[in-house]
Amino acid sequence: MMAWIDHWVLALLSMVLLALAFGLLILWVSKKFKVEGNPIVEQINAILPQTQCGQCNYPGCKPYAQAIAAGEAPINQCPPGGQEGIKKLAELLDVEVLELNPENGAEEADQVVEIVEPDCIGCTKCIQVCPVDAIVGAAKQMHTVILDECTGCDLCIPACPVDCIIKIPAPLPAPINRKPKPSLMHTVREAQGFPEALS
Amino acid sequence: MNQDRLSHFHGGLVLRHHKKASCEKPMLPAGLPEQLVIAIKSSRGHTSEPVVAIGDHVFKGQVIAEPEDSLGTVYHAPTSGLVVAIEERQTASAEAKQAVCVVIEPDGEDTWLTRPEKLKLPASAQEIIAQISAAGIVGMGGAGFPTHIKYHATQTDTAPTLIINGAECEPYISCDERLMLDEPEAIVRGTVWLLKAAQANRAIIAIEDNIGGVKKQLDAAIKKLELVAQGFDLSVIKVPTIYPTGGEKQLIKVLTGIEVPSGLTPLSVGLIMQNVATAKAVYDAIELRKPLISRVITVTGDAIESPRNYEALIGTPFQHLLQLAACDFQDLDKLIIGGPMMGYAMPHADIGIEKTTNCLLALPADCTKPEIDAMPCIRCGDCVKVCPQELLPQQLLWYINGNDEHNDLEKAREHHVFDCIECGACSWVCPSHINLVDFYRFAKSELTYLDHKKAKAQQAKIRHDEREARLERIKAERQAKRRRKTAKLSNKKDAKAEMSAVLARIKQQEQAKVDDEG
């Protein structure tokens, strides 16, 4: 009878010890391999176009990424990222693909801004709002936009007191030559133009 | 690498040649057209900056444009005359894309820019490379890659083997064959210069086995120049005529059995490939001091009455060449630059030829492929069997076009769409008449664009993060300064000293003002 209880105590004791050992191991591993910050935020941020335009109602791409990660914002508030960006976010987060929210703006072709230089009064207001330091100039001197650095966020346009900043199509480096997608029917019915009624 | 131990590449097609008609007669100079339209951009899109202005008079061989980046080339005036326009025009490239062109009206004199009377031949590899670069020589087989760049990379490596590509595999095109028949010695001499530039001694001239006469000519030239005695090892090797055996990677596979790894150049396996016309251009540049201002071009097709090869100045409009070859303009339905497999249709004939334009193909309506609507892919796999790059064309099509739901262009990249050489073999055999190459061209251009956007976003992120950090730092610095000042003024003695210093400064300023007025 006593032997049976001994075994029982021994089993319990070994289990407790094992649990304690593994618990300590987990504690050590979690300390040793701690990941700084939220990795999902970084992944979302990598998909966002980094225009820092604020059209999503957040003060930049990273805050929006944080809001998405926290489940506070839907994935369809980024017009520069467009439908492609939404698709990628949906794939990453395994959620449904949404249409771009028209309240945030519409998807446009790539654009950058340019300063109409004769009109510039050198107030430096645009320089202060540019999120990527793409405008150079000094007080009472003409300013200019570094086109290669401009993300087309348009934040400088409302800041300009003389409305001398205009949008232009983004220049592409010479070897890039975008082509339209060729079209191909997916089914024989489509290709032969069968009316719906017959199908 | 010898005649008896050739390898073979995967797939490929046996096509009818259509070369005989244009290659029977020796080439002719095309003469001076009314205007020369010289596009100053390479076929890879790298532009050059014009160094002449409208109204300038230029001499033959004068530099008219300098490269903007390391992959651009120099352009020379092909004849003497007046620069009448520098403007955007359609060019002899895919979709006749617009680019800056220098338009020269010849004065008929054809006066050379004064050239040194006595030729001083380059001694070192560096000098040869410099001369090749200064002559504006690019790969004339079609890629248009600046020739001198291939040799900069060889300076440190072990001596490579040079392959001179005379295997012109596309139907109709015969300019390289004609050049080898007419000027074998120039080609061999040019090859020797290229060998010296690469600091190598072994070269192979590869030709297709259906042009036997050429081998005799080249062998005779090699013998005549006594190259063996000088330590050079040149041989002419015939390769089987299978399309696209003239492709860089295909020809290397046939000759050596080596596959050039994806994304790398032949130099990575110790080889350099150059077209025969490039070798000839190198000879012209070094021994005749003639920059690349003309090339041999085949004018052929069923709408041409007397198909022929012409030596035409760069910038000669298609119209001029078509008239020379007696084109039946009534009959002409499609005008193609390049061959029927890889060429591009041109919208009109007022476009100037470029350094890489090897053929002008004029086809009547009954010759062009009937426009049958493409049908869906039935995944028969015929394209897989012929693909010389061993890709899976039907699978690539599926990723590019097959399912819109997911973002599959990236999958096309994983399936090596960038290794596609756009030879058109898959489109040729497709029973559903799908123009597969169009899809791969689209995928490549779109992926390149997306990469560009991604790189730009990355750059913007770095700049934004750095700006945020800078603003943070400035704010912290300002706060620290204020704190220091507050701390300092909390001591009564220091505050008093500071006060009197300020008062003294004000007094001094007032005094200065009084002095000024006085």
Side-chain angles (χ1 to χ4, degrees), chain B residues 110-171:
Chain B
D110 213 24
T111 347
W112 273 96
L113 191 70
T114 12
R115 287 189 294 175
E117 293 264 312
K118 208 163 177 206
L119 293 179
K120 191 180 157 286
L121 294 176
S124 70
Q126 295 292 354
E127 276 174 42
I128 299 171
I129 295 167
Q131 290 201 6
I132 291 173
S133 166
I137 296 175
V138 298
M140 289 167 79
F145 191 78
T147 301
H148 63 97
I149 291 174
K150 291 190 184 176
Y151 296 88
H152 283 312
T154 65
Q155 297 298 315
T156 52
D157 292 318
T158 48
T161 299
L162 189 62
I163 298 175
I164 303 295
N165 187 347
E168 198 171 42
C169 51
E170 257 201 275

Side-chain angles (χ1 to χ4, degrees), chain A residues 75-76 82-90 97-100:
Chain A
I75 58 172
N76 62 346
Q83 205 58 38
E84 273 308 298
I86 295 174
K87 260 195 224 168
K88 279 191 192 155
L89 285 174
V97 176
L98 302 169
E99 288 291 309
L100 180 67

Side-chain angles (χ1 to χ4, degrees), chain A residues 113 125-127 129-131 135 145 153-160 165:
Chain A
V113 295
K125 285 195 166 125
C126 54
I127 297 178
V129 294
C130 179
I135 304 178
V145 179
C153 70
D154 299 349
L155 290 180
C156 51
I157 292 176
C160 179
I165 301 177

Side-chain angles (χ1 to χ4, degrees), chain A residues 42 45-46 48-50 52 60 80 84 87-88 91 110 112 127-134 146-151 171-188 191-192, chain B residues 44-47 94-95 97 373-377 397-398 400-407 410 434-435 438-439 441-442 445-446 448-450 452-454 456-461 463-467 470:
Chain A
E42 281 310 313
N45 201 20
L48 296 176
Q50 304 301 323
Q52 321 294 350
E84 273 308 298
K87 260 195 224 168
K88 279 191 192 155
E91 209 168 314
D110 298 349
V112 290
I127 297 178
Q128 290 161 31
V129 294
C130 179
V132 290
D133 288 332
I146 309 168
L147 290 186
D148 279 346
E149 307 293 355
C150 176
T151 63
L172 278 179
I176 299 177
N177 175 19
R178 275 189 98 185
K179 293 179 169 66
K181 186 176 175 179
S183 63
L184 179 69
M185 302 299 166
H186 288 255
T187 64
V188 180
Q192 297 187 336
Chain B
R44 284 163 173 260
H46 297 278
T47 50
E95 291 125 39
K97 213 183 157 203
D373 279 343
M375 297 295 280
C377 173
L397 177 72
W398 170 251
I400 297 163
N401 187 64
N403 45 354
D404 288 333
E405 288 299 303
H406 297 287
N407 205 359
E410 285 302 328
I434 302 170
N435 201 348
D438 273 358
F439 288 88
R441 282 182 178 152
F442 159 75
S445 69
E446 196 64 13
T448 320
Y449 166 73
L450 291 175
H452 162 71
K453 265 192 102 162
K454 208 166 188 180
K456 238 194 131 182
Q458 195 55 37
Q459 194 183 344
K461 183 166 181 281
R463 285 178 78 91
H464 179 66
D465 288 352
E466 272 174 10
R467 179 187 150 94
R470 188 188 72 221

